[in-house]
Amino acid sequence: MKEVTRTWKIVGGVSDANSYYRNAWIVMIVVGWARGAGGAVVTACEQLLKGDWKPEGDEWLKMSFPCKITLLGSIMFTFQHTRHLAISKHDLMFLYTIFLVTIKVTMMMTKDTAVTLTPFEDTLTRMLFGRRQQQQFSSSEKKTEVKPSSNGSASSASKRGAEPSGGAKRHAKKED
């Protein structure tokens, strides 16, 4: 039922935005996305306006699965509402809801919480940013950092390996 409610919220957001801002696509997508994703998008906007925004914790840079699905739905319903997608609203709502339920059931049955939109995201990234750019990012993430120790020998440590130990120490202090 949560996915049915999410679909109705997205459609309501797109329709409300269109009633105030006639054919403003960006506004329709953002309002539909905010209504469907809820606190994930609105909290990020609130933090940005307050001045408490931190890029490492931003939902826009590291989107969760519901946030991605809601953005996709908001774009689809905006195209349908502006008559650029030749399908009726109720048929699109039905197909989108079935798509969401199927993905959720598949994720629950396989006990895999990995985002199933990865092939679509990779294709879109290659189209928008080019193949060379993506290879550059993936190779830079795998690099290790070489640091000389106090006795002069070099040791390599991954940046990701260094972060959790400090985080574990901070977490242990909080529990004490």
Side-chain angles (χ1 to χ4, degrees):
M1 288 305 291
K2 187 174 188 173
E3 303 311 323
V4 175
T5 305
R6 185 184 316 273
T7 304
W8 277 104
K9 286 181 179 183
I10 294 169
V11 171
V14 169
S15 298
D16 288 346
N18 189 47
S19 67
Y20 289 106
Y21 303 100
R22 185 74 48 200
N23 292 327
W25 287 24
I26 300 292
V27 174
M28 292 167 65
I29 290 171
V30 169
V31 171
W33 186 30
R35 288 213 30 204
V41 176
V42 175
T43 303
C45 289
E46 179 188 8
Q47 288 175 347
L48 182 65
L49 292 173
K50 283 181 170 180
D52 295 336
W53 184 73
K54 295 177 184 113
E56 61 271 359
D58 193 11
E59 182 69 26
W60 296 335
L61 299 176
K62 300 177 209 170
M63 282 197 244
S64 61
F65 180 73
C67 198
K68 288 179 185 179
I69 288 294
T70 305
L71 179 60
L72 178 67
S74 182
I75 292 169
M76 287 179 7
F77 285 111
T78 298
F79 282 167
Q80 187 278 327
H81 199 79
T82 57
R83 305 206 194 303
H84 287 85
L85 189 60
I87 189 170
S88 71
K89 179 170 72 171
H90 294 291
D91 289 343
L92 184 61
M93 288 174 65
F94 176 74
L95 292 174
Y96 180 73
T97 304
I98 294 299
F99 171 71
L100 290 180
V101 169
T102 304
I103 286 178
K104 284 279 196 170
V105 168
T106 304
M107 287 171 52
M108 288 172 43
M109 297 275 291
T110 61
K111 296 181 181 175
D112 185 20
T113 59
V115 176
T116 57
L117 298 174
T118 305
F120 175 72
E121 290 172 355
D122 289 341
T123 304
L124 188 62
T125 301
R126 286 186 189 125
M127 285 181 357
L128 294 175
F129 303 112
R131 186 168 190 85
R132 185 175 179 199
Q133 186 77 14
Q134 182 160 349
Q135 289 173 348
Q136 182 181 9
F137 285 130
S138 63
S139 65
S140 67
E141 290 177 357
K142 295 177 183 177
K143 287 184 181 177
T144 58
E145 192 176 292
V146 177
K147 294 181 181 179
S149 64
S150 61
N151 63 0
S153 65
S155 65
S156 65
S158 174
K159 286 184 178 180
R160 290 184 182 173
E163 289 177 7
S165 63
K169 289 179 184 176
R170 279 185 265 140
H171 185 65
K173 288 180 182 178
K174 287 182 181 179
E175 290 178 357
D176 293 336

